[in-house]
């Protein structure tokens, strides 16, 4: 399993975290998404076929690019 904490400057509240969570949770291989609106961070656990590059691309696509 791989894990990474992404810092996402566009997160401004709990709704943003929910939006990111919903999108990332739909990606095959993603097993857990935990967000913190105060830190503007999202911690993601995944297995193949997901990858950090793919997660970053998805974040970009939904307008929450990782720093
Ligand atoms: Cu928000």
């Amino acid at each position: 399993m791989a894990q990474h904490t992404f810092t996402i400057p566009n997160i401004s509240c709990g709704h943003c975290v929910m939006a990111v969570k919903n999108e990332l949770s739909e990606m095959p291989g993603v097993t857990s998404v935990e967000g913190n609106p105060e830190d503007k961070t999202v911690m993601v656990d995944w297995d193949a076929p997901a990858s950090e590059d793919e997660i970053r691309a998805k974040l970009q696509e939904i307008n929450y690019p990782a720093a």
Side-chain angles (χ1 to χ4, degrees):
M1 188 198 78
Q3 181 184 77
H4 187 75
T5 301
F6 298 90
T7 299
I8 303 176
N10 283 359
I11 287 180
S12 58
C13 72
H15 292 108
C16 299
V17 170
M18 281 311 295
V20 169
K21 259 183 116 156
N22 288 342
E23 291 284 347
L24 295 188
S25 297
E26 283 176 12
M27 295 176 70
V30 171
T31 53
S32 168
V33 184
E34 292 301 331
N36 182 331
E38 278 143 45
D39 297 352
K40 302 180 189 291
T41 57
V42 173
M43 189 175 82
V44 186
D45 295 353
W46 70 90
D47 291 305
S51 68
E52 181 168 338
D53 283 352
E54 203 177 301
I55 292 166
R56 286 182 179 275
K58 171 63 80 174
L59 289 170
Q60 189 89 260
E61 181 192 318
I62 63 172
N63 242 321
Y64 287 103

